[in-house]
Amino acid sequence: MAELKYLSGFGSEFSSEDPRRPGSLPQGQNNPQRCPYGLYAEQLSGTAFTAPRHENRRSWLYRIRPSVIHEPFKRTNSAKFLTHNWDEVDPDPNQTRWLPFDIPSAFTDFVSGLHTVCGAGDPRARHGIAIHVFLCNAPMEKSAFYNSDGDFLIVPQQGTLQITTEFGKMEVRPNEIAVIQQGMRFAVHVDGPTRGYILEVFDGHFKLPDLGPIGANGLANPRDFLTPVAHYADEEIPGFKIFSKYQGAVFEAVQNHSPFDVVAWHGNYVPYKYCLDNFMVINSVSFDHCDPSIFTVLTCPSTKAGVAIADFVIFPPRWSVQEHTFRPPYYHRNCMSEFMGLILGNYEAKEEGFAPGGATLHSAMTPHGPDSKCFNAASTAKLDAEKIAVGTQAFMFESSLSMAMTKWGAETCQKVDHKYYECWKNLPKLFSDEVNV
Ligand code: FE2
């Protein structure tokens, strides 16, 4: 693929036109009857028309044909492990760990490779989340996908995603993420075994977290978010399929042309990608261990102040220089639910068993923390400044919702590590009559 171009910024008012059609973006109303080059104008609304201006998200697409030209949608079984039925198995409050999810060897593209692991809520009420993994090995051909239910935050772990969207093309590698928002049509081209994670939110869109006393800079900076530039295909393609995820079910409609026919666009409702290497880590330099909220890349807020529908949090390479404290993640019980995945390397709190392409789920109020090996090592280590998490990237989808596992997540995937609880069972009783042990 030729080197791709991007627009830089987060939540900005962008505009882009394919250089093969200069002047395709209307300027003013110099011809109020027709768009340049005979294009159709189509608005994609990501918020209610009347949303406050600072939250309003919409884009105008100037395209060869409007999206409405297609045969009726019909239910399809193309993604048979995608579900929003949270009652398939009994609730399970246990700490859960999955060994790396298997990538199939049979022909599987991004859509048919979507597997729902856990979630909560209902897209019909526009409230909830779903966590999926994608396990695929083949490009989507003569097809595109869009999600009517919410936004996808896509975290590739193995394999590069070549994503074609209505707005242009993105290349997304492991240690990068992409967000494709509700309604945006896209196709994923992969080249060989590919695996990753998806956080889907039904309520609203991801935002950068407020920085409070940190100031104007830090964490994920807006300029590091990249949006593709306009790139159109004027192609007649008989039998092209449009997949729609609608109310948790997948439908397909046939049309006879490429949906990637947007010649120019402008607006602030756009897909984007972000490289996790650009995250500016804020960490303690004196004593004690900060809460993982300091590692929040993106958040989908709820209507309760400070409470997220879901946060996307990373644990990047960083200096650990605190004094007089226990450095690894503390033992805790959390009113939130924590789903973790590993993109590469070893997570410092559990160096065994939590492998790239695997996952853990620590549900609301389920205790968890460093395994006994990590606790013992950190309790005796010399308290020098130390660069930790080098060569690794763990992440967390943290949600205020109490998630249920799907049948695929709990049983069918056959990757649940039923001995996970044993990583804590050898934590010794250290209680002593001596103050200083
Ligand atoms: Fe935790």
Side-chain angles (χ1 to χ4, degrees):
M1 184 180 282
E3 188 177 348
L4 299 176
K5 292 189 169 66
Y6 298 96
L7 302 160
S8 157
F10 188 93
S12 309
E13 180 77 14
F14 295 110
S15 61
S16 182
E17 62 181 28
D18 190 312
R20 291 173 291 170
R21 285 290 186 274
S24 48
L25 203 56
Q27 302 292 333
Q29 293 288 358
N30 47 3
N31 183 346
Q33 304 301 112
R34 293 269 189 181
C35 294
Y37 298 107
L39 298 169
Y40 285 90
E42 181 178 281
Q43 184 178 202
L44 182 64
S45 295
T47 54
F49 296 142
T50 49
R53 184 173 284 263
H54 69 278
E55 292 183 356
N56 210 299
R57 294 284 181 272
R58 60 85 185 88
S59 285
W60 281 94
L61 311 177
Y62 298 94
R63 59 192 317 153
I64 297 172
R65 294 181 180 90
S67 301
V68 72
I69 303 174
H70 61 80
E71 299 294 315
F73 280 101
K74 294 178 180 161
R75 183 78 186 264
T76 171
N77 199 28
S78 289
K80 61 184 178 182
F81 293 114
L82 188 147
T83 180
H84 296 338
N85 179 357
W86 314 126
D87 297 313
E88 292 180 330
V89 295
D90 284 342
D92 183 356
N94 282 302
Q95 301 92 353
T96 303
R97 178 163 68 192
W98 289 270
L99 303 173
F101 298 103
D102 287 335
I103 303 171
S105 52
F107 180 95
T108 309
D109 68 9
F110 179 83
V111 173
S112 55
L114 290 170
H115 297 71
T116 310
V117 180
C118 54
D122 185 352
R124 292 169 294 190
R126 301 303 315 280
H127 177 50
I129 68 169
I131 293 175
H132 315 276
V133 291
F134 56 95
L135 308 165
C136 55
N137 55 36
M140 290 172 63
E141 290 189 351
K142 290 175 60 175
S143 64
F145 177 86
Y146 73 95
N147 183 4
S148 306
D149 296 332
D151 293 6
F152 273 180
L153 188 157
I154 300 170
V155 184
Q157 182 270 320
Q158 177 180 333
T160 297
L161 309 181
Q162 309 283 355
I163 305 178
T164 301
T165 77
E166 291 171 282
F167 295 79
K169 294 172 181 275
M170 295 192 285
E171 182 179 88
V172 188
R173 297 171 176 273
N175 216 37
E176 296 180 315
I177 61 157
V179 172
I180 300 184
Q181 307 185 66
Q182 185 190 20
M184 296 173 180
R185 293 172 180 206
F186 67 102
V188 180
H189 186 287
V190 303
D191 187 13
T194 303
R195 177 170 54 200
Y197 312 82
I198 296 174
L199 170 59
E200 180 182 5
V201 292
F202 306 149
D203 293 68
H205 305 301
F206 289 100
K207 296 178 175 174
L208 292 173
D210 286 331
L211 294 178
I214 293 173
N217 305 286
L219 308 189
N221 286 312
R223 69 190 292 260
D224 294 321
F225 288 80
L226 302 177
T227 286
V229 298
H231 180 88
Y232 75 90
D234 181 11
E235 292 176 328
E236 313 298 315
I237 307 176
F240 194 99
K241 288 181 182 173
I242 302 288
F243 291 107
S244 171
K245 184 170 90 62
Y246 175 76
Q247 296 185 0
V250 179
F251 297 78
E252 68 177 46
V254 171
Q255 63 185 39
N256 295 318
H257 62 277
S258 169
F260 304 117
D261 63 353
V262 176
V263 178
W265 59 264
H266 72 85
N268 58 3
Y269 189 55
V270 295
Y272 54 87
K273 72 167 200 166
Y274 174 75
C275 178
L276 302 178
D277 285 338
N278 291 321
F279 189 81
M280 177 181 153
V281 176
I282 303 289
N283 208 356
S284 174
V285 292
S286 56
F287 63 89
D288 237 335
H289 191 291
C290 298
D291 288 320
S293 46
I294 55 165
F295 302 119
T296 302
V297 180
L298 289 165
T299 183
C300 176
S302 75
T303 52
K304 290 183 195 168
V307 178
I309 295 298
D311 286 331
F312 174 61
V313 178
I314 59 172
F315 301 94
R318 60 198 184 275
W319 283 95
S320 184
V321 292
Q322 303 96 314
E323 301 169 38
H324 309 304
T325 192
F326 179 64
R327 288 181 184 173
Y330 42 68
Y331 295 98
H332 75 137
R333 293 173 295 160
N334 190 353
C335 63
M336 309 275 278
S337 303
E338 303 178 16
F339 178 96
M340 284 190 65
L342 189 60
I343 300 168
L344 49 106
N346 296 313
Y347 178 55
E348 66 261 26
K350 290 188 191 67
E351 296 206 345
E352 295 172 6
F354 181 45
T360 61
L361 175 63
H362 302 128
S363 299
M365 291 304 169
T366 295
H368 58 282
D371 62 20
S372 51
K373 184 179 171 191
C374 176
F375 177 87
N376 291 331
S379 303
T380 54
K382 195 159 179 261
L383 284 178
D384 282 339
E386 183 185 5
K387 187 86 180 275
I388 62 170
V390 175
T392 82
Q393 193 70 267
F395 70 89
M396 178 163 66
F397 299 151
E398 185 174 22
S399 175
S400 57
L401 302 170
S402 185
M403 290 188 280
M405 276 189 277
T406 61
K407 187 176 183 191
W408 186 85
E411 299 171 9
T412 314
C413 70
Q414 298 188 321
K415 288 297 166 184
V416 175
D417 176 3
H418 295 288
K419 294 188 173 178
Y420 181 34
Y421 73 98
E422 292 182 357
C423 75
W424 294 287
K425 77 175 187 183
N426 292 326
L427 282 165
K429 178 180 175 181
L430 298 171
F431 189 55
S432 169
D433 293 333
E434 303 295 323
V435 172
N436 297 310
V437 292

